[in-house]
Amino acid sequence: MSGSLTPTGIPGLDNLIGGGFQKGSLIMLAGSPGTGKTVLATKFLSTGVTDFDEPGIYVSFGENKESLRENMTKQFGPEFGRSLHSEKIKFLEFVVMTDVGLEAILTSILDEIKSTGAKRLVIDSYSAMAQLFKEGESRTVLHAVLGGPIREAGCTTIVICEGLPDDLNIGSRVEEFVADGVILLGAQEVDGRPIRSIDILKMRGSRLEKTKCVFTLDRGFEVFEAIRADQSKAPASTEGIADSPNRYSTGLAELDKILSGGYSRGDIVLVEVDQNVSATEYSMFTLPCIGNFLRHGKAVIDVPSVGVGMTLPGSLMRQGDLTSEQLDKLLTLCIPKEHLPALAKRSQVLTFDGEDVEGSLEGFTGMIKRLTETFQQTSLYMEGVDTLFSSFGPENIVRILNATITASRTHGNLDIMILRPGIPAPYLYEMLGSVADVHLKMVKRQGVLMFYGLKPWTGMFAVQTDPIRGYPWPRLVPLV
């Protein structure tokens, strides 16, 4: 910890503001009820005790300490609750303020800071305390008391402000000119699923490259950062996940759990990708499934999406435990004939001709049947819909897709269709959405990759990467 900074203990937030709040600063934390203000504030205090041995004070004008501890323990577990029982965290309760004047309250807070040596202070909430202000008194209190003696004591203060964003009138109140930082917590929706946002409106002493992020209250308070895949590490070994008698694993244990065990045999899976999601990002959901099939000796057919190229064999090899022999035996790349010269020989290749629709129909269905019979196991068919559309055009794309879907269902294979934006055929999105047994979608908001299911319906998950591995491997975090 830099001597001039007070970390919050929330890595994504500390990274966003350059390591923490300036020591002795006054931070306004605003937002409507239920947006996570109390969670952030209590995490700020508990971090001071557990990580830096810094005493803290929680001043409450509403909730009593036992109720606060109980709620935090129930929501985030006993370890979080135990940190709030530390003797180094002092609770001052002013739940009943009928006969308590503002001057007496401020004196009590200052006395506790001096006697305990507190370095962190939370006032919950300023909105309740402001009821005791006389007209024009708010600036004096904040500047002369909270921004004066408390700052001199090196005590970093979070002042919680309750209210809806419109009610807070952010940007025009006198309190914000006195505050060193202003943070607004809010909520919005994507396809009917709530996501939480944190907006840094002001932070003195910090150079903010980004001011708005997505966060979750799942098991605490986590602010999400853009995915960074460290390719310099040696790849960790990946163990295959066993299929159940009636379902295929997705290759990701977390996703299997979300989908009640994975994909059913014969499923048609539609993975719809938003326009700002890269191939590297959506492949974090396709590569594990492909790799899991190959590790169990099951054949895979892949029609690469437009612009992805024939990079699948190399991507699979980077996962560390698949051999070139396995790929040569089990992986078939299915590509337009004009792309054949650009393909390095490493696996089986089937070409198709967009001008020969009947021949291609026969080739696709025959390939699926042949591989199923050869290996006497079900196979995975991975198709980039945009590649097929660009080859066969709007007149024949439905015939091609119907043929591959029918063949996959007939042989109990898994058919995963990657649907990227930009295909000038709205009817195609509607048709595939109705045909699919499983419909998953990937979007980006505030630079954060997010995933959710339309069929079956799921909540929203932020996609982060596992730092242990040497290649992108997703960690799914519920947005709650």
Side-chain angles (χ1 to χ4, degrees):
M1 178 177 65
S2 169
S4 62
L5 296 177
T6 302
T8 65
I10 302 169
L13 177 57
D14 286 334
N15 292 341
L16 189 66
I17 59 178
F21 301 135
Q22 294 293 310
K23 191 175 293 293
S25 60
L26 173 63
I27 309 298
M28 289 185 63
L29 178 59
S32 55
T35 50
K37 300 182 299 298
T38 301
V39 179
L40 191 157
T42 52
K43 176 62 176 176
F44 169 75
L45 288 181
S46 66
T47 295
V49 171
T50 58
D51 295 356
F52 304 106
D53 197 32
E54 292 182 342
I57 298 174
Y58 194 103
V59 179
S60 175
F61 289 89
E63 193 172 18
N64 64 58
K65 64 180 180 181
E66 291 308 321
S67 174
L68 176 67
R69 287 168 173 166
E70 182 180 347
N71 289 336
M72 292 296 105
T73 300
K74 185 182 301 182
Q75 189 169 0
F76 305 112
E79 185 175 348
F80 194 92
R82 280 194 295 271
S83 69
L84 298 181
H85 280 81
S86 169
E87 294 180 357
K88 285 184 174 292
I89 296 181
K90 179 81 173 185
F91 283 85
L92 299 180
E93 300 175 37
F94 300 101
V95 178
V96 180
M97 301 179 294
T98 307
D99 300 319
V100 181
L102 177 61
E103 184 177 351
I105 291 173
L106 295 174
T107 298
S108 178
I109 295 173
L110 290 172
D111 288 344
E112 287 294 340
I113 290 174
K114 293 176 183 178
S115 64
T116 62
K119 297 301 178 185
R120 300 180 183 227
L121 169 66
V122 171
I123 295 179
D124 184 9
S125 70
Y126 177 80
S127 308
M129 188 173 70
Q131 297 176 19
L132 302 176
F133 292 161
K134 297 177 182 177
E135 186 176 352
E137 194 176 33
S138 60
R139 184 183 181 97
T140 300
V141 171
L142 285 169
H143 185 67
V145 181
L146 299 182
I150 293 178
R151 188 192 302 275
E152 292 172 5
C155 185
T156 306
T157 304
I158 290 179
V159 179
I160 294 175
C161 296
E162 294 285 357
L164 298 171
D166 292 339
D167 297 335
L168 292 170
N169 197 20
I170 296 296
S172 62
R173 302 195 322 179
V174 69
E175 294 91 330
E176 295 158 45
F177 294 99
V178 177
D180 301 291
V182 179
I183 298 175
L184 177 63
L185 303 184
Q188 52 188 285
E189 285 191 354
V190 173
D191 273 359
R193 294 156 177 82
I195 62 173
R196 299 177 183 273
S197 62
I198 181 168
D199 199 354
I200 312 298
L201 302 181
K202 172 184 177 182
M203 193 61 59
R204 287 178 186 153
S206 297
R207 181 179 178 180
L208 302 175
E209 295 183 2
K210 186 179 180 182
T211 60
K212 195 165 188 175
C213 286
V214 176
F215 73 95
T216 185
L217 297 180
D218 180 57
R219 293 170 290 184
F221 196 112
E222 181 176 358
V223 176
F224 300 113
E225 301 179 81
I227 291 176
R228 292 182 177 87
D230 184 0
Q231 296 286 354
S232 63
K233 297 179 182 177
S237 177
T238 301
E239 295 183 3
I241 302 175
D243 295 325
S244 67
N246 298 313
R247 300 182 79 85
Y248 299 117
S249 171
T250 65
L252 299 168
E254 290 177 314
L255 184 53
D256 284 348
K257 185 176 181 180
I258 293 168
L259 297 178
S260 301
Y263 303 126
S264 294
R265 297 185 182 274
D267 265 355
I268 306 302
V269 180
L270 178 63
V271 179
E272 187 177 351
V273 181
D274 208 5
Q275 61 183 359
N276 55 358
V277 177
S278 71
T280 299
E281 290 168 333
Y282 74 71
S283 68
M284 289 194 295
F285 287 80
T286 57
L287 280 177
C289 189
I290 293 173
N292 205 59
F293 264 71
L294 296 174
R295 289 182 187 93
H296 290 96
K298 297 177 180 178
V300 173
I301 306 165
D302 180 61
V303 181
S305 295
V306 171
V308 173
M310 277 57 76
T311 59
L312 177 61
S315 298
L316 290 168
M317 291 287 286
R318 282 195 295 274
Q319 290 194 356
D321 61 347
L322 287 169
T323 66
S324 58
E325 290 76 16
Q326 285 175 300
L327 298 183
D328 288 341
K329 178 182 178 182
L330 299 170
L331 176 63
T332 299
L333 291 179
C334 190
I335 62 175
K337 68 175 184 178
E338 61 268 22
H339 292 171
L340 184 60
L343 179 64
K345 180 66 180 77
R346 180 176 280 170
S347 54
Q348 302 180 71
V349 178
L350 175 75
T351 61
F352 58 85
D353 185 353
E355 301 297 325
D356 181 11
V357 178
E358 299 304 324
S360 297
L361 285 170
E362 183 178 346
F364 283 128
T365 55
M367 174 181 55
I368 293 172
K369 178 181 179 181
R370 183 174 65 256
L371 288 175
T372 303
E373 293 175 347
T374 298
F375 294 97
Q376 298 184 346
Q377 293 195 68
T378 49
S379 301
L380 168 62
Y381 183 57
M382 184 83 61
E383 51 187 326
V385 176
D386 52 357
T387 294
L388 297 176
F389 184 88
S390 65
S391 294
F392 296 99
E395 301 83 6
N396 297 305
I397 181 64
V398 173
R399 292 185 65 195
I400 294 293
L401 290 173
N402 279 338
T404 58
I405 288 171
T406 300
S408 294
R409 287 201 191 279
T410 298
H411 298 289
N413 295 327
L414 181 64
D415 187 346
I416 298 181
M417 299 178 290
I418 310 299
L419 184 59
R420 300 167 74 186
I423 298 176
Y427 66 88
L428 196 58
Y429 293 83
E430 183 176 347
M431 183 203 83
L432 293 178
S434 64
V435 169
D437 303 292
V438 178
H439 187 176
L440 309 177
K441 192 165 183 178
M442 300 181 72
V443 300
K444 255 187 178 178
R445 295 293 185 272
Q446 309 302 333
V448 177
L449 182 64
M450 293 186 282
F451 156 88
Y452 59 100
L454 296 171
K455 287 197 295 187
W457 191 98
T458 75
M460 185 77 72
F461 296 84
V463 182
Q464 298 288 277
T465 50
D466 185 342
I468 297 176
R469 301 178 186 267
Y471 50 88
W473 193 268
R475 176 174 65 91
L476 304 180
V477 185
L479 290 177
V480 297

